[in-house]
Amino acid sequence: MKLTALVLLAALCACRKAPPQAPTAEALGAELASFPQLLAPLTQASLADYNDAVQRKGAENVMMTSFRQSYEHVKGKAGNKEVLLFIGFSGTFQAPQGVGLQPMSIQQFLRAFAADAQVDFATVRTPKGNLFFTRAQLPEIIGAARRAGAKDDDLPFAIVNGSGR
């Protein structure tokens, strides 16, 4: 009986797998570069400023420089600490329904994260799961995304609505 218990214990220990390793900055950059664009949720204040600019100038005259863009953050956990995350979505179905989203190139999204001093962490929701990275990884991710084919050009300003649940 003791021998059987030892064999079972040894078998259980052998089946244990090490926790998965976090993806490297190179892998994250390559994964991000596989998307044609990312969608960043605009704050309600940005949407109000945009609507005001449209009323004053007309929609055809409103450019990205006509109003200040600021982006929504979500709460997440890093270790045992609650943090704010800069968030992006790979498609409208990953974003909550009705949320105003700005389409961005991958590099444009990474620059927007770099410019947002309120957050040190970012996440991108994709159909396969969420990607997470830190401000410290950003230079390596930007380079990796560029090497994987992500363009530096900004997309023309537009607003689309999330269609997820």
Side-chain angles (χ1 to χ4, degrees):
M1 188 68 125
K2 285 184 182 182
L3 183 58
T4 304
L6 286 175
V7 170
L8 285 174
L9 182 61
L12 284 173
C13 288
C15 290
R16 277 193 182 165
K17 292 183 181 179
Q21 295 294 316
T24 64
E26 193 72 29
L28 286 166
E31 181 70 19
L32 288 171
S34 72
F35 298 107
Q37 68 181 9
L38 293 177
L39 304 167
L42 291 163
T43 62
Q44 290 301 317
S46 285
L47 291 170
D49 289 348
Y50 169 76
N51 288 328
D52 182 56
V54 167
Q55 287 179 353
R56 284 185 288 113
K57 298 180 178 186
E60 64 280 353
N61 297 317
V62 174
M63 314 271 287
M64 287 180 71
T65 56
S66 301
F67 68 103
R68 184 176 176 273
Q69 291 87 36
S70 58
Y71 303 99
E72 290 288 348
H73 301 138
V74 295
K75 290 182 182 176
K77 289 234 180 211
N80 293 328
K81 185 178 174 186
E82 193 169 271
V83 296
L84 288 178
L85 298 160
F86 190 84
I87 187 167
F89 302 95
S90 64
T92 58
F93 288 110
Q94 284 72 50
Q97 188 172 16
V99 170
L101 306 163
Q102 180 182 344
M104 298 179 163
S105 69
I106 303 310
Q107 295 292 355
Q108 185 179 3
F109 176 83
L110 294 172
R111 286 192 306 271
F113 169 46
D116 193 332
Q118 294 180 317
V119 291
D120 289 323
F121 302 91
T123 185
V124 176
R125 293 194 179 149
T126 76
K128 295 180 184 179
N130 295 349
L131 303 174
F132 294 94
F133 50 95
T134 67
R135 183 174 298 282
Q137 292 174 295
L138 203 49
E140 291 177 58
I141 290 172
I142 289 170
R146 188 173 289 123
R147 286 189 295 279
K151 305 289 184 238
D152 284 331
D153 301 338
D154 288 356
L155 294 181
F157 180 76
I159 297 176
V160 299
N161 287 322
S163 55
R165 291 182 185 221

